[in-house]
C-alpha cells in the first residue's frame, strides 16, 4: 500500500514537472506582458525609460481621439469581408466535394496563398492595385472600365484590402469546410433522398446544420484575427492610407508606441481592443449556446 | 458539466484576450531574438578566426541601408577592425523601413547596441532618457578626426545642452547629410528646344509653371500627354515651396503651428494647382508618387527631386540630368531640406572609448569617408574632400555643387524633426489628399487642420517637458 501511494506521489510530481514548461511559458510570455501592458496603460511610459502613474488620463484622451475612432471604425468595417469569405469558401467546398475533375489540383491552388508569407503577398497585391500598371486595372481595362487608384483613394482602399484578405483566407476556410462536409454521414442524405428532398433542402437541413460548429469556430477566430489586422496595412499603405482611411487599431497602436514615444497611450488602446474582442467573443458564445438549445 | 464548459470557454476567452494584448510584445521579442541569433552567428565566426588573441573587445553596431550601403559599410568596418587590433564589431543591419521600430524595441528591451544609427529628430528624447552617451571628450581628443572639417550644420544637429539642440555637448556625429536637390532632364529640354535652366538663378514660380507647360506634351498623338513637367510627392517637396514663400509649419520658437499663415496657404495652393489647374503633372488617375518616380526614370518628367542616395541609380538613366535650385517664391530665394542620420554611442556600453572611435572612423576619418564616397552611397562629410568631389564635373550630375550649397547655405531641417515627436507634422500629410485632388481649397484645409495639429504639438511639448524631469 505504502509503495503504491509513493509511486502515485512521484507520478504527481512528474506530472507537474511535465506541465511546467507550458505554464511557465504562458506566465512569462503571456500573463506577465499582459499585466504589464495593463499597468502601463495607466502611465505615461514613453518606451525609453520614463514611466509615471497618471491614472485614467490615457483612457480619457482615447474617448475624444478622432484617429482612434477612425481606426476602430476601419477595423470593424474591414470585417465585412469575413461573412463574404465564409460564403465563398463554403460554395467552393461544396463544389470541390462533388468530385469534379481536378479537385486535388484546385485544393492546392486555393491553399497556396495560405502558406505564403503575408508580407510577400501584401507587396504583390500592392503592385496589383497600382493605378497605372496594376494587374487589377489592366484586367478591368479589358472590359473598358477605368479602375481607380485603389490604395490611394479613401473610398477604395478598405475594400481593396478586404478583397486581399478574403483571397488569402479562402483556402484555409475552404479546407475546414470540406473536411466538415465530408464527415457528414452519408445515410442522412440517403434518408433525405428517400423522403424526396431536393438538393437545396438537403443542403439547408443537413449540410448547413452539420457544418455549423465549423462556421462558429471560423467566425470566432476570424473576428479575433480581423481585429488585429496590421501587416497588410503597414505594407500596402505605410502611412495609414489617405486621411487615415485604412489604418486599423493595431496600426495606430504601433504608430503611437514606436513612432511617437507614447507607449502608455498605446497600451491603453490595446487594453480597449482586448476588451472589445473579449466582449464580442463572449456574445458569440452566448448566441451559439442559445442556438444549440433550440 | 454545463458549469465546467462555461469555465472552459471563459478560459479560452481569456487566452484569446491575452494573445491580443501580448501580441505586440511577442513580435518585438521575436524580432530581437532574430537579431541576436544573427549576431550569435557573426560572433561565432569572428571568434573562431581570432582564436589566438587574448582579449577581444566586442562592439555591437546596428545600422540600416540598401544593399549598396550595407556592402560599403561592412567593408569600412572590416578596415576599422584591421586598423584596431583587439576590437571586433558585430554587425546588425536592417532594411530602412524596419530600423526605427527595431531600435525602439531594443531600447525598450534594454538591449541597446553599443553603436547605432539614430534619427536626429530623436536626439532630445534619447539624451533626456539617458540612452545616448556624451562623446564630446572622446571625439575632441581623437587625433584621427578634425571636427572643424565636418559640416557645422551636420555636427550641430547632434549637439544638445539639455534645452536647445545646436549647442552644448556632442551626442553623436552625422553619418552623412542628405540634401534634397531638384534635378532636370537635360535631354528632354534639348529635344524640345527649351533653354536650359540656369544653375545660379532659380526660376520664379510663374516661370516654373511656364517651362513645365512647354514640356508637357502628347508625343504619340493619343490625345493624352505622355510627357509631363513634373510630379512631386507632397511629403518631400511641399517644404521647398512653403519655405521659399516665407512661411513654415512651425513658429521660430517651436511652439505654434503656423500653417494658417496666408503665405503658407498660397504655397500649398500653388502646389495643388500644378496638377489641377496647370495640368503639368500626371493626373490623379494617372499617377501617384511611386509612378512619378518610375516616369522620371523612363524620361517622361522634366523635373524631379534628386538626393545623393539616388546617384548610383540615376547614373544608369537613359538621359542626361543635372541639378538646379528649386524655384523661388516671394522671398526670391530657393529653399529645400537637408536630412541627416546620426551615429551615436549607447550610454550603457562597456567600451565607450572604442565605441566613440568607431563613430569617428565612420563619420570623420579620411580613410573611412573616402571608402564610402567611392562606393557612391553618400556625399562627403569632410569639407576638403567635398570640395574635390564637387569640382569633378565629369560624372553625373555635373552640378554637384548644388548639393554643397544646400548643405552649406540654404538647406533646412524638416519641421517634424525640430520637435519632440513628429506626430503633429505627420497629420498634415495624412489628411492632405483632398487638397491635392482639388476637392478642398488650401485655405479651408489649413483652417480645419491647424487646431488638430496644434493639439498634437502641445502634447509633444508636454512630453518633452516631462522627459526632462
Amino acid at each position: 500500500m505504502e509503495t503504491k501511494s509513493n509511486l502515485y506521489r512521484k507520478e504527481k510530481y512528474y506530472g507537474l514537472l511535465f506541465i511546467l514548461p507550458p505554464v511557465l511559458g504562458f506566465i512569462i510570455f503571456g500573463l506577465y506582458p499582459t499585466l504589464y501592458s495593463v499597468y502601463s496603460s495607466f502611465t505615461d511610459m514613453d518606451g525609453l525609460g520614463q514611466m509615471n502613474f497618471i491614472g485614467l488620463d490615457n483612457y480619457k484622451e482615447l474617448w475624444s481621439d478622432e484617429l482612434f475612432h477612425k481606426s476602430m471604425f476601419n477595423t470593424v468595417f474591414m470585417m465585412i469581408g469575413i461573412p463574404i469569405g465564409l460564403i465563398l469558401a463554403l460554395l467552393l467546398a461544396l463544389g470541390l466535394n462533388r468530385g469534379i475533375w481536378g479537385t486535388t489540383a484546385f485544393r492546392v491552388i486555393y491553399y497556396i496563398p495560405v502558406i505564403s508569407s503575408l508580407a510577400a503577398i501584401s507587396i504583390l497585391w500592392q503592385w496589383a492595385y497600382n493605378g497605372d500598371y496594376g494587374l487589377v486595372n489592366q484586367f478591368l481595362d479589358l472590359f473598358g472600365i477605368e479602375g481607380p487608384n485603389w490604395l490611394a483613394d479613401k473610398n477604395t482602399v478598405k475594400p481593396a484590402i478586404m478583397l486581399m484578405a478574403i483571397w488569402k483566407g479562402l483556402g484555409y476556410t475552404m479546407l475546414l469546410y470540406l473536411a466538415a462536409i465530408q464527415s457528414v454521414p452519408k445515410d442522412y442524405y440517403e434518408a433525405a433522398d428517400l423522403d424526396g428532398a431536393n438538393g437545396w433542402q438537403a443542403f439547408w437541413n443537413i449540410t448547413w446544420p452539420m457544418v455549423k460548429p465549423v462556421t462558429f469556430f471560423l467566425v470566432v477566430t476570424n473576428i479575433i484575427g480581423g481585429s488585429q489586422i496590421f501587416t497588410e496595412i503597414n505594407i500596402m499603405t505605410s502611412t495609414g492610407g489617405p486621411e487615415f482611411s485604412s489604418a486599423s487599431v493595431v496600426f495606430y497602436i504601433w504608430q503611437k508606441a514606436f513612432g511617437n514615444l507614447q507607449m502608455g497611450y498605446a497600451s491603453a488602446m490595446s487594453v480597449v481592443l482586448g476588451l472589445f474582442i473579449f466582449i464580442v467573443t463572449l456574445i458569440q458564445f452566448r448566441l451559439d449556446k442559445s442556438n444549440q438549445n433550440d | 458539466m454545463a458549469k465546467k464548459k462555461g469555465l472552459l470557454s471563459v478560459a479560452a476567452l481569456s487566452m484569446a484576450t491575452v494573445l491580443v494584448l501580448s501580441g505586440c510584445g511577442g513580435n518585438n521579442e521575436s524580432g530581437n531574438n532574430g537579431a541576436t541569433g544573427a549576431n550569435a552567428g557573426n560572433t561565432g565566426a569572428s571568434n573562431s578566426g581570432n582564436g589566438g588573441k587574448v582579449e577581444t573587445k566586442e562592439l555591437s553596431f546596428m545600422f540600416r541601408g540598401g544593399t549598396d550601403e550595407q556592402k560599403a559599410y561592412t567593408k569600412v568596418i572590416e578596415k576599422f577592425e584591421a586598423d584596431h587590433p583587439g576590437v571586433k564589431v558585430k554587425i546588425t543591419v536592417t532594411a530602412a523601413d524596419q530600423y526605427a521600430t527595431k531600435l525602439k524595441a531594443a531600447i525598450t528591451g534594454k538591449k541597446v547596441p553599443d553603436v547605432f544609427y539614430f534619427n536626429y529628430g530623436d536626439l532630445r528624447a534619447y539624451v533626456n532618457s539617458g540612452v545616448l552617451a556624451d562623446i564630446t571628450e572622446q571625439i575632441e581628443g581623437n587625433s584621427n578626426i578634425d571636427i572643424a572639417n565636418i559640416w557645422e550644420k551636420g555636427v550641430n544637429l547632434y549637439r544638445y545642452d539639455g534645452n536647445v539642440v545646436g549647442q552644448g555637448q556632442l551626442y553623436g556625429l552625422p553619418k552623412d547629410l542628405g540634401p534634397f536637390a531638384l534635378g532636370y532632364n537635360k535631354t528632354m529640354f534639348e529635344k524640345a528646344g527649351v533653354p536650359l535652366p540656369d544653375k545660379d538663378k532659380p526660376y520664379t514660380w510663374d516661370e516654373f509653371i511656364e517651362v513645365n507647360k512647354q514640356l508637357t506634351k502628347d508625343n504619340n498623338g493619343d490625345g493624352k500627354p505622355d510627357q509631363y513637367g513634373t510630379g512631386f510627392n507632397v511629403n518631400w517637396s511641399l517644404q521647398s515651396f512653403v519655405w521659399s514663400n516665407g512661411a513654415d509649419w512651425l513658429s521660430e520658437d517651436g511652439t505654434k503651428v503656423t500653417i494658417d499663415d496666408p503665405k503658407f496657404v498660397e504655397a500649398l495652393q500653388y502646389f495643388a494647382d500644378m496638377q489641377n489647374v496647370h495640368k503639368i503633372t500626371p493626373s490623379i488617375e494617372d499617377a501617384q508618387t511611386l509612378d512619378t518616380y518610375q516616369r522620371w526614370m523612363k524620361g517622361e518628367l522634366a523635373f524631379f527631386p534628386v538626393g545623393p542616395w539616388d546617384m548610383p541609380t540615376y547614373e544608369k538613366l537613359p538621359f542626361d540630368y543635372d541639378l538646379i535650385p528649386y524655384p523661388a517664391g516671394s522671398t526670391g530665394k530657393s529653399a529645400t531640406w537637408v536630412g541627416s542620420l546620426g551615429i551615436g554611442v549607447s550610454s550603457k556600453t562597456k567600451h565607450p572609448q572604442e565605441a566613440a572611435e568607431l563613430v569617428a572612423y565612420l563619420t570623420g576619418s579620411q580613410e573611412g569617408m573616402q571608402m564610402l564616397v567611392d562606393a557612391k552611397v553618400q556625399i562627403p562629410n569632410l569639407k576638403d574632400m567635398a570640395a574635390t568631389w564637387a569640382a569633378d564635373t565629369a560624372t553625373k550630375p555635373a552640378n554637384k555643387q548644388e548639393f554643397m550649397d544646400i548643405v552649406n547655405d540654404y538647406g533646412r531641417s524638416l519641421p517634424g524633426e525640430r520637435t519632440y515627436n513628429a506626430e503633429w507634422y505627420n497629420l498634415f500629410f495624412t489628411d492632405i489628399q483632398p487638397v491635392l485632388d482639388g476637392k478642398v481649397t488650401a485655405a479651408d484645409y489649413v483652417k480645419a487642420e491647424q487646431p488638430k495639429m496644434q493639439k498634437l504639438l502641445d502634447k509633444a511639448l508636454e512630453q518633452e517637458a516631462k522627459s526632462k524631469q
Side-chain angles (χ1 to χ4, degrees), chain A residues 23-282:
Chain A
V23 170
L24 266 185
F26 168 71
I27 290 172
I28 295 170
F29 298 111
L31 195 62
Y32 172 70
T34 309
L35 293 178
Y36 194 80
S37 127
V38 171
Y39 170 70
S40 57
S41 74
F42 296 105
T43 71
D44 62 357
M45 180 183 185
D46 63 0
L48 299 175
Q50 160 194 294
M51 197 170 182
N52 307 306
F53 191 79
I54 53 166
L56 287 171
D57 282 8
N58 285 333
Y59 291 93
K60 279 182 206 149
E61 212 178 313
L62 263 188
W63 190 254
S64 58
D65 184 347
E66 242 175 75
L67 291 183
F68 177 67
H69 300 161
K70 214 172 203 173
S71 60
M72 201 74 197
F73 168 78
N74 292 340
T75 310
V76 174
F77 185 91
M78 280 188 267
M79 287 188 203
I80 296 174
I82 296 173
I84 301 175
L86 290 187
I87 292 167
L88 282 176
L90 182 58
L91 288 176
L92 272 177
L94 286 170
L96 288 181
N97 191 41
R98 299 200 142 197
I100 43 171
W101 179 82
T103 302
T104 329
F106 279 115
R107 259 199 320 234
V108 172
I109 290 171
Y110 285 118
Y111 209 71
I112 286 176
V114 182
I115 54 165
S116 310
S117 140
L118 185 52
I121 284 182
S122 302
I123 291 170
L124 277 180
W125 278 81
Q126 192 181 19
W127 291 338
Y129 280 133
N130 182 297
D132 260 342
Y133 309 107
L135 214 55
V136 176
N137 281 358
Q138 281 185 15
F139 178 73
L140 289 177
D141 203 40
L142 293 180
F143 304 96
I145 303 168
E146 199 169 315
N149 192 344
W150 295 91
L151 297 176
D153 184 328
K154 66 171 175 174
N155 297 316
T156 53
V157 63
K158 278 193 285 275
I161 291 175
M162 240 159 64
L163 184 68
M164 189 200 88
I166 292 172
W167 173 82
K168 159 108 174 129
L170 205 57
Y172 173 73
T173 313
M174 179 203 74
L175 214 65
L176 283 185
Y177 268 134
L178 197 58
I181 292 170
Q182 282 171 353
S183 66
V184 177
K186 291 280 170 291
D187 26 349
Y188 289 3
Y189 292 108
E190 278 163 23
D193 209 25
L194 284 178
D195 286 345
N198 61 24
W200 170 249
Q201 284 168 326
F203 167 77
W204 190 244
N205 293 303
I206 301 170
T207 318
W208 178 242
M210 290 302 279
V211 300
K212 216 164 175 188
V214 172
T215 309
F216 176 68
F217 167 78
L218 285 169
V219 169
V220 171
T221 50
N222 276 345
I223 287 182
I224 292 174
S227 309
Q228 301 175 64
I229 186 167
F230 171 73
T231 313
E232 301 89 317
I233 289 156
N234 189 30
I235 291 176
M236 293 167 80
T237 56
S238 55
T239 56
E243 296 170 71
F244 228 50
S245 53
S246 67
S248 68
V249 180
V250 179
F251 178 84
Y252 190 41
I253 291 174
W254 171 79
Q255 216 181 37
K256 281 277 183 188
F258 293 102
N260 300 313
L261 308 169
Q262 294 164 25
M263 206 63 102
Y265 190 67
S267 295
M269 281 194 271
S270 36
V271 169
V272 171
L273 177 64
L275 285 175
F276 168 79
I277 297 175
F278 183 86
I279 291 166
V280 169
T281 313
L282 198 68

Side-chain angles (χ1 to χ4, degrees), chain B residues 8-246:
Chain B
L8 258 178
S9 52
V10 170
L13 275 173
S14 24
M15 271 300 281
T17 323
V18 162
L19 284 177
V20 178
L21 290 176
S22 59
C24 204
N27 284 339
N28 300 331
E29 201 66 42
S30 65
N32 278 343
N33 282 346
T36 344
N39 283 344
N42 278 340
T43 328
S46 51
N47 276 350
S48 61
N50 204 28
K53 290 259 158 54
V54 187
E55 192 201 8
T56 319
K57 287 180 178 167
E58 217 179 58
L59 293 174
S60 52
F61 173 48
M62 186 157 106
F63 72 107
R64 68 176 171 92
T67 14
D68 291 343
E69 267 180 291
Q70 296 186 8
K71 263 191 232 149
Y73 272 82
T74 312
K75 255 197 188 154
V76 176
I77 282 171
E78 277 164 13
K79 182 99 195 308
F80 172 82
E81 288 177 331
D83 288 355
H84 298 78
V87 182
K88 281 282 150 201
V89 183
K90 284 195 309 184
I91 296 175
T92 309
V93 59
T94 74
D97 52 343
Q98 294 152 14
Y99 185 81
T101 307
K102 200 175 175 106
L103 178 62
K104 293 238 161 83
I107 292 172
T108 314
K110 301 202 170 28
K111 279 186 187 139
V112 190
D114 296 316
V115 180
F116 57 95
Y117 279 13
F118 67 96
N119 191 355
Y120 68 97
D122 288 329
L123 180 75
R124 275 166 294 181
Y126 290 171
V127 173
N128 291 349
S129 55
V131 173
L132 280 171
D134 176 353
I135 54 170
T136 322
E137 248 174 66
Q138 289 96 325
I139 295 295
E140 281 173 358
N142 189 324
S143 56
N144 282 334
I145 167 174
D146 174 17
I147 201 157
N149 194 18
I150 307 178
W151 310 111
E152 284 87 33
K153 196 175 264 171
V155 174
N156 284 343
L157 290 173
Y158 303 96
R159 286 191 189 278
Y160 182 50
D161 64 0
N163 277 313
V164 187
V165 174
Q167 56 194 56
Q169 300 298 98
L170 207 54
Y171 290 93
L173 280 176
K175 159 195 149 356
D176 68 348
L177 290 174
F180 203 58
L182 183 64
Y184 71 98
N185 182 334
K186 212 168 167 179
T187 313
M188 187 192 281
F189 271 77
E190 281 160 357
K191 232 186 230 166
V194 178
L196 294 182
D198 186 343
K199 70 180 168 63
D200 298 317
K201 191 173 159 290
Y203 287 121
T204 65
W205 280 6
D206 290 340
E207 284 167 2
F208 185 63
I209 296 289
E210 217 33 63
V211 173
N212 273 296
K213 277 186 177 162
Q214 288 172 28
L215 290 162
T216 302
K217 279 184 179 170
D218 173 16
N219 282 334
N220 63 6
D222 66 351
K224 277 161 78 180
D226 39 45
Q227 172 185 312
Y228 306 86
T230 186
F232 289 125
N233 179 337
V234 66
N235 288 280
W236 308 114
S237 292
L238 179 61
Q239 294 83 354
S240 162
F241 295 95
V242 168
W243 289 338
S244 78
N245 207 34

